[in-house]
Amino acid sequence: EPSLTYAYAPDPNVEPEELFQFDKVDTVDYLNQVRLGVRNKLQTKRRNRTWDLIDFDIYTYYFPRENLEGNDFSDIFFDLEIWPSNHLKFEADARWNTYDGTVESLNGQFTVFNQDKWAANIEYRRLAHKSDLLASEFYFRINPNWAVKVYERYEFERDDLEEIEVTVYRDLHDWQSAFSFRHREDDNQFWVVFYLKGYPDMPIATGH
C-alpha cells in the first residue's frame, strides 16, 4: 500500500526559541516535506476476526528545499510488527542513512506473555557509534496478592551492566503497593509506592 503525504508550514514570524514552550504549537518551525512510504500487511483469520500477522512500513522524506544537512532525502525508516499468536509479539524499527550506508539506529523487542500471570521481554537497541544496549524484563504473579518484576540493562559499548531493578508488588484490596530496589552504576536506590487502583496516575511515593 503506497502512500504520499505532503506537509508545509511557512517560516514563522517569531523563532520558536523566543517563545515559552507551553505546547507543541510553540515549537513549530519551517516545514516543507513529502513523506513517501510503502506499507505491507499480512493478515489472517482467527476466531472469525481479521488478525494482523505482519505489519511492515517503509518510508522516507523528500525535502523540496534542502534540509539542514543539505540533503534532498532523509534517512529511510523501517517499522515492523509481528504477532504470531496472542502470547507472542515482535517489534523492530531501523533507520538507514543512504548517503553513507550507515544503519543509524536499530531496535528490536521480543515479548512473550500469558495475560496478567507472567511476561518476559528482551530488547536490543543500537545507536551508531554511541550505544549497543541489551535489556531484559521478567514479570511473574506469584498469587493474587503478590508479584515480582526483575529488569536488567547491559551496555556493550562500555562493557557495563548499567542497571538492575527488582520490584515486589503487593495487592492491598483497594490499594496497590510496590517495593523497588535499583542499582545503577555506583548508586543504590530503594523506594516504596502506594496508589489507589482507581487512580494509578496519582501515586504516593517515598524512597532513598
Side-chain angles (χ1 to χ4, degrees):
E1 178 184 325
S3 65
L4 186 152
T5 306
Y6 177 66
Y8 175 77
D11 285 315
N13 296 325
V14 179
E15 295 297 325
E17 56 269 17
E18 298 177 15
L19 298 171
F20 290 106
Q21 306 299 319
F22 291 109
D23 52 40
K24 292 183 179 181
V25 174
D26 297 321
T27 64
V28 171
D29 202 349
Y30 173 80
L31 181 66
N32 187 15
Q33 65 184 28
V34 180
R35 186 186 189 275
L36 307 168
V38 177
R39 187 174 187 179
N40 293 279
K41 276 190 176 185
L42 178 60
Q43 296 179 318
T44 184
K45 283 283 188 180
R46 292 185 180 177
R47 297 180 181 178
N48 296 320
R49 298 178 60 184
T50 301
W51 180 271
D52 291 338
L53 183 63
I54 299 176
D55 189 347
F56 187 36
D57 193 14
I58 306 175
Y59 59 95
T60 187
Y61 293 93
Y62 168 69
F63 306 104
R65 193 172 84 180
E66 292 180 344
N67 65 359
L68 296 176
E69 288 77 27
N71 300 326
D72 294 326
F73 286 89
S74 72
D75 298 340
I76 297 179
F77 299 86
F78 304 84
D79 290 328
L80 173 66
E81 285 189 11
I82 303 177
W83 281 90
S85 74
N86 291 334
H87 306 294
L88 293 173
K89 183 180 181 181
F90 176 75
E91 298 175 278
D93 63 82
R95 179 174 178 173
W96 180 38
N97 187 327
T98 58
Y99 292 95
D100 61 15
T102 301
V103 178
E104 297 290 344
S105 67
L106 176 63
N107 306 306
Q109 181 174 276
F110 177 75
T111 305
V112 56
F113 56 93
N114 184 8
Q115 301 302 327
D116 61 345
K117 296 180 181 179
W118 60 268
N121 175 284
I122 186 167
E123 182 176 12
Y124 174 74
R125 291 186 173 274
R126 182 178 185 277
L127 194 60
H129 313 301
K130 292 183 180 179
S131 178
D132 199 13
L133 192 71
L134 183 67
S136 64
E137 182 177 281
F138 178 73
Y139 170 87
F140 179 70
R141 177 166 289 280
I142 302 169
N143 57 44
N145 294 323
W146 292 93
V148 63
K149 182 178 73 174
V150 179
Y151 172 81
E152 292 183 324
R153 188 174 72 225
Y154 187 85
E155 175 59 71
F156 289 95
E157 283 284 331
R158 298 190 301 273
D159 192 21
D160 179 32
L161 182 59
E162 285 190 337
E163 182 178 337
I164 298 176
E165 181 177 319
V166 179
T167 301
V168 177
Y169 299 94
R170 177 70 165 95
D171 191 299
L172 302 171
H173 301 292
D174 294 333
W175 289 79
Q176 180 81 26
S177 63
F179 307 85
S180 297
F181 170 79
R182 176 192 293 161
H183 173 76
R184 181 183 292 171
E185 298 180 349
D186 296 327
D187 184 38
N188 293 320
Q189 298 178 344
F190 175 79
W191 67 95
V192 181
V193 179
F194 294 91
Y195 57 88
L196 283 168
K197 293 181 179 179
Y199 302 92
D201 297 329
M202 300 176 62
I204 301 172
T206 182
H208 175 71

mmCIF file of all heavy atoms in Angstrom, residues 5 8 14 23 34 47 49-50 55 58-59 87 94-95 105 113 118 131 133 143-144 163 166 192-193 196 200 207:
data_model
loop_
_atom_site.group_PDB
_atom_site.id
_atom_site.type_symbol
_atom_site.label_atom_id
_atom_site.label_comp_id
_atom_site.label_asym_id
_atom_site.label_seq_id
_atom_site.Cartn_x
_atom_site.Cartn_y
_atom_site.Cartn_z
ATOM 1 N N THR A 5 2.337 11.815 1.504
ATOM 2 C CA THR A 5 1.767 12.865 2.353
ATOM 3 C C THR A 5 2.647 14.101 2.262
ATOM 4 O O THR A 5 3.876 14.007 2.391
ATOM 5 C CB THR A 5 1.683 12.407 3.819
ATOM 6 O OG1 THR A 5 0.965 11.175 3.885
ATOM 7 C CG2 THR A 5 0.970 13.447 4.663
ATOM 8 N N TYR A 8 3.376 21.209 4.963
ATOM 9 C CA TYR A 8 4.007 22.518 4.765
ATOM 10 C C TYR A 8 3.615 23.471 5.885
ATOM 11 O O TYR A 8 2.448 23.548 6.274
ATOM 12 C CB TYR A 8 3.589 23.118 3.424
ATOM 13 C CG TYR A 8 4.111 24.526 3.203
ATOM 14 C CD1 TYR A 8 5.441 24.738 2.839
ATOM 15 C CD2 TYR A 8 3.277 25.628 3.373
ATOM 16 C CE1 TYR A 8 5.931 26.025 2.651
ATOM 17 C CE2 TYR A 8 3.761 26.922 3.188
ATOM 18 C CZ TYR A 8 5.088 27.111 2.826
ATOM 19 O OH TYR A 8 5.570 28.381 2.646
ATOM 20 N N VAL A 14 8.116 34.689 14.459
ATOM 21 C CA VAL A 14 8.905 34.650 15.689
ATOM 22 C C VAL A 14 9.562 33.276 15.782
ATOM 23 O O VAL A 14 8.916 32.257 15.584
ATOM 24 C CB VAL A 14 8.022 34.890 16.929
ATOM 25 C CG1 VAL A 14 8.869 34.828 18.196
ATOM 26 C CG2 VAL A 14 7.301 36.230 16.823
ATOM 27 N N ASP A 23 3.254 24.237 24.586
ATOM 28 C CA ASP A 23 2.781 23.032 23.916
ATOM 29 C C ASP A 23 3.518 22.914 22.582
ATOM 30 O O ASP A 23 4.400 23.700 22.256
ATOM 31 C CB ASP A 23 1.262 23.053 23.705
ATOM 32 C CG ASP A 23 0.804 24.351 23.027
ATOM 33 O OD1 ASP A 23 1.515 24.824 22.106
ATOM 34 O OD2 ASP A 23 -0.246 24.877 23.421
ATOM 35 N N VAL A 34 7.741 15.949 1.909
ATOM 36 C CA VAL A 34 6.844 14.951 1.333
ATOM 37 C C VAL A 34 7.231 13.594 1.921
ATOM 38 O O VAL A 34 8.395 13.198 1.849
ATOM 39 C CB VAL A 34 6.951 14.898 -0.200
ATOM 40 C CG1 VAL A 34 6.002 13.836 -0.757
ATOM 41 C CG2 VAL A 34 6.660 16.259 -0.809
ATOM 42 N N ARG A 47 -10.582 -16.989 14.853
ATOM 43 C CA ARG A 47 -11.858 -16.901 15.566
ATOM 44 C C ARG A 47 -12.811 -15.927 14.867
ATOM 45 O O ARG A 47 -13.431 -15.078 15.486
ATOM 46 C CB ARG A 47 -11.629 -16.475 17.020
ATOM 47 C CG ARG A 47 -10.812 -17.481 17.823
ATOM 48 C CD ARG A 47 -10.602 -17.017 19.249
ATOM 49 N NE ARG A 47 -9.797 -17.989 19.989
ATOM 50 C CZ ARG A 47 -9.421 -17.818 21.263
ATOM 51 N NH1 ARG A 47 -9.789 -16.721 21.907
ATOM 52 N NH2 ARG A 47 -8.697 -18.735 21.857
ATOM 53 N N ARG A 49 -12.198 -13.392 13.121
ATOM 54 C CA ARG A 49 -11.791 -11.989 13.146
ATOM 55 C C ARG A 49 -10.505 -11.813 12.353
ATOM 56 O O ARG A 49 -9.650 -12.703 12.291
ATOM 57 C CB ARG A 49 -11.586 -11.504 14.591
ATOM 58 C CG ARG A 49 -12.843 -11.561 15.444
ATOM 59 C CD ARG A 49 -12.569 -11.118 16.868
ATOM 60 N NE ARG A 49 -12.084 -9.750 16.923
ATOM 61 C CZ ARG A 49 -11.703 -9.144 18.056
ATOM 62 N NH1 ARG A 49 -11.756 -9.802 19.199
ATOM 63 N NH2 ARG A 49 -11.286 -7.898 18.020
ATOM 64 N N THR A 50 -10.347 -10.634 11.754
ATOM 65 C CA THR A 50 -9.130 -10.338 10.996
ATOM 66 C C THR A 50 -7.964 -10.145 11.961
ATOM 67 O O THR A 50 -8.073 -9.425 12.949
ATOM 68 C CB THR A 50 -9.313 -9.068 10.143
ATOM 69 O OG1 THR A 50 -10.399 -9.269 9.251
ATOM 70 C CG2 THR A 50 -8.057 -8.777 9.354
ATOM 71 N N ASP A 55 2.978 -6.513 10.000
ATOM 72 C CA ASP A 55 2.748 -5.130 9.573
ATOM 73 C C ASP A 55 4.120 -4.499 9.350
ATOM 74 O O ASP A 55 4.887 -4.307 10.294
ATOM 75 C CB ASP A 55 1.968 -4.367 10.643
ATOM 76 C CG ASP A 55 1.508 -2.996 10.158
ATOM 77 O OD1 ASP A 55 1.983 -2.544 9.100
ATOM 78 O OD2 ASP A 55 0.686 -2.360 10.854
ATOM 79 N N ILE A 58 7.737 1.018 5.383
ATOM 80 C CA ILE A 58 8.990 1.643 4.948
ATOM 81 C C ILE A 58 8.665 3.035 4.446
ATOM 82 O O ILE A 58 7.742 3.207 3.651
ATOM 83 C CB ILE A 58 9.663 0.839 3.812
ATOM 84 C CG1 ILE A 58 9.866 -0.621 4.208
ATOM 85 C CG2 ILE A 58 11.007 1.458 3.440
ATOM 86 C CD1 ILE A 58 10.403 -1.483 3.081
ATOM 87 N N TYR A 59 9.428 4.036 4.895
ATOM 88 C CA TYR A 59 9.138 5.391 4.438
ATOM 89 C C TYR A 59 10.385 6.278 4.523
ATOM 90 O O TYR A 59 11.354 5.972 5.232
ATOM 91 C CB TYR A 59 7.996 6.015 5.250
ATOM 92 C CG TYR A 59 8.238 6.108 6.736
ATOM 93 C CD1 TYR A 59 8.738 7.267 7.306
ATOM 94 C CD2 TYR A 59 7.945 5.027 7.571
ATOM 95 C CE1 TYR A 59 8.963 7.357 8.672
ATOM 96 C CE2 TYR A 59 8.164 5.111 8.925
ATOM 97 C CZ TYR A 59 8.666 6.270 9.478
ATOM 98 O OH TYR A 59 8.882 6.347 10.826
ATOM 99 N N HIS A 87 0.058 -14.556 22.440
ATOM 100 C CA HIS A 87 1.031 -14.505 23.527
ATOM 101 C C HIS A 87 2.440 -14.148 23.062
ATOM 102 O O HIS A 87 3.358 -14.118 23.885
ATOM 103 C CB HIS A 87 1.073 -15.854 24.254
ATOM 104 C CG HIS A 87 -0.266 -16.321 24.717
ATOM 105 N ND1 HIS A 87 -0.987 -15.659 25.690
ATOM 106 C CD2 HIS A 87 -1.037 -17.363 24.330
ATOM 107 C CE1 HIS A 87 -2.130 -16.281 25.895
ATOM 108 N NE2 HIS A 87 -2.191 -17.324 25.073
ATOM 109 N N ALA A 94 14.190 0.525 12.359
ATOM 110 C CA ALA A 94 15.557 0.848 11.961
ATOM 111 C C ALA A 94 15.566 2.140 11.164
ATOM 112 O O ALA A 94 14.539 2.570 10.622
ATOM 113 C CB ALA A 94 16.158 -0.294 11.136
ATOM 114 N N ARG A 95 16.748 2.727 11.113
ATOM 115 C CA ARG A 95 16.938 3.972 10.377
ATOM 116 C C ARG A 95 18.236 3.863 9.593
ATOM 117 O O ARG A 95 19.300 3.663 10.168
ATOM 118 C CB ARG A 95 16.991 5.148 11.354
ATOM 119 C CG ARG A 95 17.204 6.500 10.714
ATOM 120 C CD ARG A 95 17.100 7.592 11.760
ATOM 121 N NE ARG A 95 17.337 8.906 11.188
ATOM 122 C CZ ARG A 95 17.176 10.044 11.845
ATOM 123 N NH1 ARG A 95 16.765 10.019 13.115
ATOM 124 N NH2 ARG A 95 17.409 11.199 11.253
ATOM 125 N N SER A 105 20.283 3.620 13.469
ATOM 126 C CA SER A 105 19.691 3.026 14.669
ATOM 127 C C SER A 105 18.999 1.721 14.308
ATOM 128 O O SER A 105 18.517 1.547 13.186
ATOM 129 C CB SER A 105 18.696 3.993 15.324
ATOM 130 O OG SER A 105 17.572 4.197 14.487
ATOM 131 N N PHE A 113 4.028 -13.515 26.737
ATOM 132 C CA PHE A 113 3.268 -13.268 27.958
ATOM 133 C C PHE A 113 2.054 -14.189 28.030
ATOM 134 O O PHE A 113 1.605 -14.745 27.030
ATOM 135 C CB PHE A 113 2.820 -11.802 28.025
ATOM 136 C CG PHE A 113 2.023 -11.347 26.832
ATOM 137 C CD1 PHE A 113 0.639 -11.418 26.841
ATOM 138 C CD2 PHE A 113 2.657 -10.859 25.693
ATOM 139 C CE1 PHE A 113 -0.102 -11.001 25.741
ATOM 140 C CE2 PHE A 113 1.936 -10.447 24.590
ATOM 141 C CZ PHE A 113 0.552 -10.518 24.611
ATOM 142 N N TRP A 118 2.170 -13.809 33.796
ATOM 143 C CA TRP A 118 3.609 -13.628 33.663
ATOM 144 C C TRP A 118 3.927 -13.015 32.298
ATOM 145 O O TRP A 118 3.125 -13.081 31.362
ATOM 146 C CB TRP A 118 4.364 -14.944 33.837
ATOM 147 C CG TRP A 118 4.002 -16.014 32.837
ATOM 148 C CD1 TRP A 118 3.054 -16.975 32.971
ATOM 149 C CD2 TRP A 118 4.584 -16.216 31.542
ATOM 150 N NE1 TRP A 118 2.994 -17.759 31.853
ATOM 151 C CE2 TRP A 118 3.932 -17.324 30.954
ATOM 152 C CE3 TRP A 118 5.595 -15.587 30.824
ATOM 153 C CZ2 TRP A 118 4.264 -17.784 29.687
ATOM 154 C CZ3 TRP A 118 5.933 -16.057 29.556
ATOM 155 C CH2 TRP A 118 5.258 -17.152 29.007
ATOM 156 N N SER A 131 25.847 3.668 21.213
ATOM 157 C CA SER A 131 25.290 2.748 22.187
ATOM 158 C C SER A 131 24.951 1.413 21.550
ATOM 159 O O SER A 131 24.533 1.351 20.392
ATOM 160 C CB SER A 131 24.029 3.362 22.828
ATOM 161 O OG SER A 131 23.448 2.479 23.747
ATOM 162 N N LEU A 133 22.929 -1.656 23.280
ATOM 163 C CA LEU A 133 22.270 -1.946 24.550
ATOM 164 C C LEU A 133 21.382 -3.181 24.469
ATOM 165 O O LEU A 133 20.670 -3.384 23.499
ATOM 166 C CB LEU A 133 21.418 -0.732 24.941
ATOM 167 C CG LEU A 133 20.860 -0.663 26.353
ATOM 168 C CD1 LEU A 133 21.978 -0.405 27.362
ATOM 169 C CD2 LEU A 133 19.831 0.469 26.425
ATOM 170 N N ASN A 143 0.825 -15.058 43.228
ATOM 171 C CA ASN A 143 -0.552 -15.391 43.622
ATOM 172 C C ASN A 143 -1.373 -14.116 43.508
ATOM 173 O O ASN A 143 -0.846 -13.078 43.093
ATOM 174 C CB ASN A 143 -0.598 -16.003 45.035
ATOM 175 C CG ASN A 143 0.018 -15.099 46.085
ATOM 176 O OD1 ASN A 143 -0.235 -13.888 46.105
ATOM 177 N ND2 ASN A 143 0.830 -15.681 46.967
ATOM 178 N N PRO A 144 -2.665 -14.131 43.851
ATOM 179 C CA PRO A 144 -3.469 -12.911 43.685
ATOM 180 C C PRO A 144 -2.952 -11.696 44.450
ATOM 181 O O PRO A 144 -3.294 -10.558 44.109
ATOM 182 C CB PRO A 144 -4.853 -13.340 44.204
ATOM 183 C CG PRO A 144 -4.896 -14.810 43.955
ATOM 184 C CD PRO A 144 -3.508 -15.292 44.210
ATOM 185 N N GLU A 163 22.239 -1.256 34.795
ATOM 186 C CA GLU A 163 21.143 -1.158 35.761
ATOM 187 C C GLU A 163 20.540 -2.521 36.072
ATOM 188 O O GLU A 163 20.397 -3.367 35.187
ATOM 189 C CB GLU A 163 20.054 -0.225 35.223
ATOM 190 C CG GLU A 163 18.887 -0.006 36.146
ATOM 191 C CD GLU A 163 17.874 0.976 35.572
ATOM 192 O OE1 GLU A 163 18.243 1.790 34.705
ATOM 193 O OE2 GLU A 163 16.703 0.918 35.996
ATOM 194 N N VAL A 166 14.744 -4.532 40.897
ATOM 195 C CA VAL A 166 13.843 -5.580 41.380
ATOM 196 C C VAL A 166 12.672 -4.900 42.080
ATOM 197 O O VAL A 166 12.866 -4.042 42.951
ATOM 198 C CB VAL A 166 14.547 -6.539 42.361
ATOM 199 C CG1 VAL A 166 13.567 -7.597 42.855
ATOM 200 C CG2 VAL A 166 15.758 -7.194 41.692
ATOM 201 N N VAL A 192 9.327 3.061 47.961
ATOM 202 C CA VAL A 192 8.041 2.412 48.150
ATOM 203 C C VAL A 192 6.971 3.300 47.539
ATOM 204 O O VAL A 192 6.985 4.516 47.727
ATOM 205 C CB VAL A 192 7.738 2.184 49.643
ATOM 206 C CG1 VAL A 192 6.390 1.485 49.808
ATOM 207 C CG2 VAL A 192 8.846 1.375 50.298
ATOM 208 N N VAL A 193 6.058 2.691 46.797
ATOM 209 C CA VAL A 193 4.982 3.434 46.131
ATOM 210 C C VAL A 193 3.641 2.822 46.510
ATOM 211 O O VAL A 193 3.480 1.597 46.483
ATOM 212 C CB VAL A 193 5.153 3.420 44.594
ATOM 213 C CG1 VAL A 193 4.005 4.173 43.926
ATOM 214 C CG2 VAL A 193 6.493 4.016 44.187
ATOM 215 N N LEU A 196 -3.978 4.199 44.738
ATOM 216 C CA LEU A 196 -5.317 3.633 44.635
ATOM 217 C C LEU A 196 -5.499 3.009 43.259
ATOM 218 O O LEU A 196 -5.086 3.588 42.248
ATOM 219 C CB LEU A 196 -6.365 4.722 44.861
ATOM 220 C CG LEU A 196 -6.595 5.160 46.313
ATOM 221 C CD1 LEU A 196 -7.423 6.434 46.345
ATOM 222 C CD2 LEU A 196 -7.295 4.053 47.100
ATOM 223 N N PRO A 200 -4.352 5.205 39.362
ATOM 224 C CA PRO A 200 -2.951 4.763 39.271
ATOM 225 C C PRO A 200 -1.975 5.870 38.891
ATOM 226 O O PRO A 200 -0.768 5.723 39.081
ATOM 227 C CB PRO A 200 -3.002 3.676 38.179
ATOM 228 C CG PRO A 200 -4.204 4.041 37.352
ATOM 229 C CD PRO A 200 -5.198 4.598 38.331
ATOM 230 N N GLY A 207 11.254 7.246 49.222
ATOM 231 C CA GLY A 207 12.412 6.388 48.976
ATOM 232 C C GLY A 207 13.701 7.140 49.162
ATOM 233 O O GLY A 207 13.740 8.325 49.486
#
